[in-house]
Amino acid sequence: MDSSTALLLVGFSAVAYVAIRFTTALVKVRSHYRNAPGLAHSRLWGHMATMAKYVKDDKHFGPGVDYACFQIWKDLKKPPFYFIDAWPMQIPNVVIVADAELAESLSKSTPDHPYGFGKNASYDDLDAFLGESGILKVGGEKWKIIRKQYNPGFNSRYLQTLLPEIIHEVKIFTAKIDKSVGQTITLGDFITSLTIDIITAIVLGRSVNAQTEDGDLVTGFKGCIDWQIERERLNPFHLFNPLRPIAMSYYVNKLDKAVDREVENASRNKEGLNQRSIVSLAMKDEKSIMSRPELKIKPRDQIKTFLLVCYAPPRGHDTTSSLLQWLFYELSVQPKVLERLRKEHQSLFGVEPAGYHDRVEELFTHHPEKVLQGMSYTTAVIKETLRVHTVASGSRWSPKGNNLTAEYNGQTYNLDNHALYMPNLLHHMNPEYWGPDVEVFNPDRFLDTTEWNVPIFAFRPFERGPRACIGQELVYLETKVILALIINTFEFEKVYDTKYKELYSVRRRIGSLLL
């Protein structure tokens, strides 16, 4: 046998071996899901063929995983959970957890899982962007140390001391909106810059001025968002783009250097830096991290994580900015809700146009608790927006041997070795919890608890349990400030007939308030 024939034989044997291994694995995986709760299942394609119609662009919402999960859930007659077999495109396969009580059991602390079930491996894709020690993806003792270090800064009372910084950034935002009166604007662009400035102002001690300029931190961060998340979302084959690692390396390096400079400023107490910042407060407990160098916890990774959860790329998730965009949408199509909201604010800040913004700033700064207690309807509107337009969902992981099971139609299913995705849209749109008007935007359901007796675990916009979002108090606080300074000053009118398009025309209010 000559060398060329031997080489061909080796090559053929290798291909045959791989093909046999792949086919064996395919048969094993597909047989596991043949009779499991889920869409129509193919022995060749699993659920991928039947899922195709659900993930196409929707004219109202744009492409989104949660909306696809929601529609599948309804078409399956609302089971408590269902499987998605997309192997080998998705490894591991996924269980969609539709039952809020089951989701609660995955999130809460138990003797076996003191911090709830661990995050799944999908967050590993963000390592190059966020680093390996970000609070979003780490678990166990490392997560506990980071959470303990940053918890004081995100406490509601402490955040109230940072209201002057938040108000300052919102006033820049209102000035930009004022210059756009009579024009059509993409509101998301304005809001995302605002949220970047707010989070950097309170976390780092000074704003990066994203509303007025693009410095290294903003440019690096937006570049990472574009190459890591947006292009991949629009085209999965972007993962194989040869320019992707080069671009990511460039933008990550730019972002890391900018964040490191800001963290260094905070640690050195440079002149003019706000020492009430969350980073400065966290560094007072630096001993807990310095004593454990093996954990390799970097402040930089936390800063980038906080930026990510506040920034919203178009059709974004997990963000303050997404909430604000949906909030302005609902107020533009719910005139009765808007009028009631305005009256609540007028009762707090007065109706006279002259000095209105000054009164808002004065009361928030010097009497924050009184003002916040008087914004009960505002809180209800924010919560209802979070319910109807859920901007974040939870994801957990159950390893082999965990023996996690769930029942459906008299059968018990083992959920081990699966990513457990908990799209909160399913929990928030379940009539079993919220009643027959579940798809109606009605803030009163958060005021009249006698009529809407909703289980506490059914409302989970920031997740629940020990790993609930550390920044949820900040979201409520900054949103209330933004509404107080905006809704009695401007009118927003949506100029497209779909929910996804975010172009608005803006005009000043005429009459009882600012002209």
Side-chain angles (χ1 to χ4, degrees):
M1 181 185 298
D2 59 29
S3 59
S4 59
T5 302
L7 188 61
L8 284 173
L9 184 59
V10 170
F12 176 79
S13 300
V15 170
Y17 174 77
V18 171
I20 292 171
R21 287 291 302 270
F22 178 83
T23 303
T24 303
L26 180 69
V27 171
K28 181 179 180 181
V29 170
R30 295 290 185 259
S31 62
H32 183 76
Y33 298 99
R34 193 162 300 152
N35 299 311
L39 292 168
H41 190 265
S42 163
R43 293 190 180 189
L44 178 61
W45 297 107
H47 292 127
M48 289 185 283
T50 48
M51 280 185 62
K53 70 173 184 177
Y54 293 100
V55 296
K56 289 180 180 178
D57 197 346
D58 183 281
K59 70 174 183 177
H60 292 295
F61 300 108
V65 172
D66 286 13
Y67 291 108
C69 291
F70 178 60
Q71 191 58 53
I72 292 171
W73 176 65
K74 290 203 297 185
D75 289 351
L76 293 176
K77 309 303 181 186
K78 303 177 181 177
F81 62 92
Y82 61 89
F83 293 87
I84 293 181
D85 174 15
W87 190 91
M89 298 301 293
Q90 169 72 41
I91 300 174
N93 276 327
V94 181
V95 176
I96 303 300
V97 179
D99 180 66
E101 195 166 3
L102 176 57
E104 180 80 350
S105 70
L106 301 175
S107 305
K108 69 182 182 181
S109 176
T110 65
D112 292 333
H113 304 280
Y115 313 121
F117 278 70
K119 299 278 188 174
N120 74 53
S122 63
Y123 290 96
D124 293 346
D125 295 339
L126 296 174
D127 278 358
F129 176 15
L130 298 181
E132 298 181 358
S133 68
I135 192 173
L136 180 68
K137 67 177 298 295
V138 299
E141 190 67 18
K142 182 182 287 191
W143 171 84
K144 181 180 178 181
I145 289 175
I146 297 172
R147 185 75 182 225
K148 180 182 177 182
Q149 187 184 29
Y150 284 92
N151 264 341
F154 284 98
N155 175 274
S156 178
R157 290 289 182 91
Y158 190 79
L159 288 171
Q160 289 176 23
T161 70
L162 300 175
L163 273 166
E165 285 78 6
I166 296 174
I167 293 170
H168 174 76
E169 300 305 330
V170 178
K171 289 174 74 174
I172 296 174
F173 173 73
T174 59
K176 288 184 65 178
I177 294 291
D178 191 61
K179 291 180 180 179
S180 303
V181 168
Q183 303 176 20
T184 298
I185 64 171
T186 303
L187 191 58
D189 293 343
F190 285 64
I191 292 175
T192 50
S193 296
L194 167 63
T195 53
I196 288 177
D197 277 348
I198 289 177
I199 196 65
T200 53
I202 68 170
V203 172
L204 294 172
R206 55 184 170 193
S207 164
V208 295
N209 301 319
Q211 297 186 87
T212 56
E213 62 186 53
D214 281 347
D216 284 350
L217 190 148
V218 176
T219 302
F221 187 76
K222 288 183 177 180
C224 289
I225 288 287
D226 183 35
W227 283 90
Q228 174 75 45
I229 297 174
E230 271 302 282
R231 296 179 187 227
E232 179 181 338
R233 180 189 59 76
L234 294 170
N235 179 10
F237 292 103
H238 169 65
L239 288 171
F240 306 105
N241 186 337
L243 296 178
R244 185 173 185 259
I246 300 172
M248 280 300 297
S249 177
Y250 171 77
Y251 286 115
V252 168
N253 184 58
K254 181 183 283 286
L255 174 62
D256 285 353
K257 287 182 177 179
V259 173
D260 285 343
R261 283 196 299 268
E262 297 296 339
V263 173
E264 183 180 1
N265 289 341
S267 64
R268 289 185 177 181
N269 191 20
K270 287 194 173 181
E271 183 179 354
L273 188 69
N274 179 2
Q275 289 308 298
R276 292 182 294 114
S277 71
I278 291 174
V279 162
S280 296
L281 182 66
M283 285 184 172
K284 293 178 181 178
D285 189 34
E286 198 172 9
K287 290 181 180 179
S288 61
I289 288 182
M290 297 300 292
S291 63
R292 300 288 301 277
E294 75 278 5
L295 295 179
K296 298 180 180 179
I297 297 174
K298 299 178 181 178
R300 174 211 297 165
D301 295 347
Q302 315 317 320
I303 306 303
K304 293 193 291 184
T305 300
F306 297 148
L307 283 169
L308 177 66
V309 298
C310 288
Y311 183 84
R315 312 174 194 176
H317 298 282
D318 298 337
T319 61
T320 304
S321 188
S322 292
L323 161 64
L324 288 166
Q325 291 178 60
W326 281 121
L327 189 51
F328 281 113
Y329 164 74
E330 287 295 349
L331 294 178
S332 74
V333 298
Q334 304 279 355
K336 291 183 179 179
V337 173
L338 177 59
E339 187 58 30
R340 189 170 165 186
L341 195 61
R342 283 172 170 162
K343 287 181 178 179
E344 179 175 83
H345 290 192
Q346 290 168 15
S347 71
L348 291 167
F349 309 116
V351 298
E352 291 298 322
Y356 181 79
H357 283 181
D358 292 336
R359 292 196 299 275
V360 171
E361 183 174 6
E362 170 74 16
L363 289 169
F364 262 117
T365 302
H366 298 290
H367 307 283
E369 290 188 4
K370 179 181 178 181
V371 172
L372 294 171
Q373 288 174 1
M375 301 182 84
S376 58
Y377 190 67
T378 305
T379 302
V381 171
I382 295 170
K383 287 184 174 181
E384 182 68 347
T385 303
L386 287 166
R387 185 191 70 85
V388 176
H389 304 291
T390 302
V391 297
S393 293
S395 186
R396 296 289 186 268
W397 163 254
S398 182
K400 283 185 177 181
N402 199 47
N403 295 321
L404 176 68
T405 60
E407 292 188 1
Y408 177 57
N409 281 347
Q411 294 191 45
T412 300
Y413 296 89
N414 191 298
L415 308 186
D416 288 353
N417 201 30
H418 285 87
L420 307 168
Y421 187 57
M422 302 175 286
N424 289 332
L425 184 65
L426 277 62
H427 313 140
H428 294 169
M429 286 293 181
N430 191 333
E432 181 182 339
Y433 304 132
W434 300 94
D437 69 337
V438 64
E439 297 192 25
V440 176
F441 187 89
N442 183 7
D444 282 329
R445 72 178 78 245
F446 287 97
L447 295 175
D448 189 349
T449 56
T450 57
E451 182 175 352
W452 284 278
N453 187 20
V454 180
I456 189 171
F457 56 76
F459 183 61
R460 42 195 313 117
F462 301 102
E463 261 296 359
R464 288 177 48 79
R467 297 205 62 155
C469 177
I470 193 173
Q472 56 185 293
E473 293 296 334
L474 172 61
V475 172
Y476 283 117
L477 183 63
E478 64 182 338
T479 303
K480 289 173 183 178
V481 172
I482 292 167
L483 289 175
L485 288 168
I486 288 291
I487 64 167
N488 274 311
T489 309
F490 302 103
E491 301 276 4
F492 293 89
E493 180 181 353
K494 199 163 185 60
V495 297
Y496 277 80
D497 63 352
T498 67
K499 290 185 178 181
Y500 167 60
K501 294 291 185 181
E502 56 171 345
L503 295 180
Y504 291 79
S505 63
V506 185
R507 63 181 185 274
R508 295 187 189 91
R509 291 199 69 202
I510 298 175
S512 62
L513 278 170
L514 302 185
L515 300 176

